[in-house]
Each structure stands twice: as structure tokens, then as C-alpha cells.
Amino acid sequence: MRTRMRTQPTITIDDLDRRIINRLQDGIQLVERPFKAVANELGCDENQLIARIERLCAAGVLTRFGPFFDAEAMGGAFCLCAMAVPADRFGAVADIVNAHPEVAHNYERDHALNMWFVLATETLADIDRTAKTIESETGLDVLQFPKLEEFFIGFKVAA
Amino acid sequence: MTILLPYERKLVEATQAGLPLDPQPYARVAEQTGLTEAGVIAGLGRLMERGIIRRIAAAPNHYALGMTANGMTVWDVNDDRISDLGQRIGALAFVSHCYRRPRALPLWPYNLFAMVHGANRDEVESKRREIAALLGDDCRGSDILYSKRILKKTGLRLSASGG
């Protein structure tokens, strides 16, 4: 288990860093020298670009650089689930839920449905089995919100 | 996790922590996997065609870049219009995830989920109003759920042993 919340970076980010961060969110090409192609676009040197990416990763401004995998396309099953957990049982229920390796992440949210977690399993049947197990362990309902349709994402973080 | 061929599995394992930061990154992956550089490029290309790899790119740290607020906005949208409207919401630059999901009545009337990011809650709320304006009369109700605490977070990791 790892948390990805990071503190503010201690490095300063200049204009080239910002252009690199913005450009690299769009992805690089599958060619022998992909960084050279991006460096040409940005008007910098290939080695300079690679050194900047290393520095931004080391400082935690970029969390990683590499392929973005769609785990679902690899054959796994995923489902967003939610529970309404009484306040006085919240910690104990969180421990029960988090103990399941199928629970990929879990957030406390400010709503009557106050616990939201994602189940990640090999098969669809395992989703239902895990949800039922959590229900019997906690005595609380587990609502399942599977994806019915995924919409194209245009999201970018402007640096 | 059964549909990856053995060489594809090697490619996923070799790159899931990140691509080597080297002038010829695919040549370095080739050395790790026993494939050729051309084989790595072709193999990653096939994984992209199948949608298993979405892109090879940088993942920025929202918090480090000042996007410290996020809210899960949820909407009760006319079922006949949700596919069209969902596409328009997902295309907004401040929405990082956008899905149609089932309602759970009576507790949960919402069928469209859109994760909204901003520098602070005021910005997130103003973006929420932007979505509301876009949905117009096709939306019967909405809510926003802010995260109070991360209780658990793990990344995708294939084990080297397979399975």
C-alpha cells in the first residue's frame, strides 16, 4: 500500500519545464528516438529534454513517465462501490474493507454514502463475491456502480 | 489477466514502473526483455491498437502543480441524452474521469459521474456550474462529493510470476 499524496516540489519550474509538462501529457511516438522528436518540437536538445524529465520525476512534479495501461483491457474486472458507514464504526469498517487485496483504493467522502472504493479482480464473478463478503463481514450494504459507458477524456493539467 | 501473450506480458512488466529515460528507450526495454528494438516498438504498437496501452506519456502530480482540490460531481441525466451529453462533459479540460453508471434508487438518483479538478474549492464549484449549464434541462439533480481522506491507494502491478 502506498499513498501518492506528495508535498509541494522544492524545485523551481521554468518556462521550458512547463512546455515539457504540457507537451508530454499528450504522449510520445513509437519511434527509435522519441525524445529527439519532442525536443525538436520544443526547440531544445534531446539530452536536455531527458535530463529535465529526470529532474521533474525526481522532484515529484511528474509522478511517472511511461505507458498508461488500461487494466480493464488486459482482462481484469473493476467496479466502483459505496457504503453508508455509521460514524462510530467508520475506522473499524475501513480496516475490514482495506484488508481485502481486491480493494484497489478507498476514499472517505462527505455524503451519506461516505465510503467509496474500487474493487479490482480477475473476473466479474469475483467482484460480486468480494462485495457479498464485505457485506457479511460488516452487516452493511455494498452498492455497486459498474461503468456502463466511458466517455473520452480531454483532461490535462496545465503547468 | 489472461489475454496477454507471454512477450506482451514481458513488455508490460518491463515498462509499468516507467519507460527508461534514455535517447533510445525502446532499445533499453529490448535489452531487458530479450526482444529486438523493432520488436519492442511493434509490440507496444499492438498493445496500443488493442487499447491496453492508452498512450506513452507523463503523469503530472496534480498537487505539485497547484491542482489541490477535486470533487466527484454526480448528475441525474435524462437517459435518452446521456451518451451525447457525457461525451461533451468528458471532453472538458478539467474533467479527468467521466462515466455513466447505474442509479441506486432511492438513495442514489445519479447516473453520470465526472471528476472535476481545480486549484481550490471555489474553482471546482465554478466548473461544476459550467457542467450544470451544459446539461441544462436534461439534468434533474446533482451533487458533489469531496474526498475527505484517502483510506487506501495501490497502483496496478502485475506480479512477475504471472497470474
Side-chain angles (χ1 to χ4, degrees), chain B residues 97-138:
Chain B
H97 301 78
C98 189
Y99 304 112
R100 181 161 76 88
R101 300 185 186 277
R103 297 181 179 88
L105 297 169
L107 191 57
W108 190 260
Y110 309 113
N111 58 347
L112 181 70
F113 289 56
M115 191 64 73
V116 171
H117 297 261
N120 50 53
R121 285 206 180 182
D122 284 349
E123 199 176 303
V124 172
E125 289 292 341
S126 101
K127 287 166 173 172
R128 179 188 175 194
R129 286 192 293 275
E130 231 177 281
I131 295 177
L134 219 151
L135 293 173
D137 293 341
D138 287 309

Side-chain angles (χ1 to χ4, degrees), chain B residues 56-91:
Chain B
I56 300 173
N61 177 355
H62 300 176
Y63 294 93
L65 292 166
M67 284 189 122
T68 53
N70 69 80
M72 184 171 81
T73 69
V74 292
W75 310 84
D76 177 7
V77 178
N78 182 349
D79 287 316
D80 296 336
R81 298 269 295 128
I82 191 168
S83 290
D84 175 44
L85 290 166
Q87 277 173 31
R88 293 171 63 186
I89 306 300

Side-chain angles (χ1 to χ4, degrees), chain A residues 100-112:
Chain A
H100 290 268
E102 294 88 351
V103 174
H105 32 82
N106 188 1
Y107 286 84
E108 180 181 4
R109 293 190 181 277
D110 55 353
H111 189 272

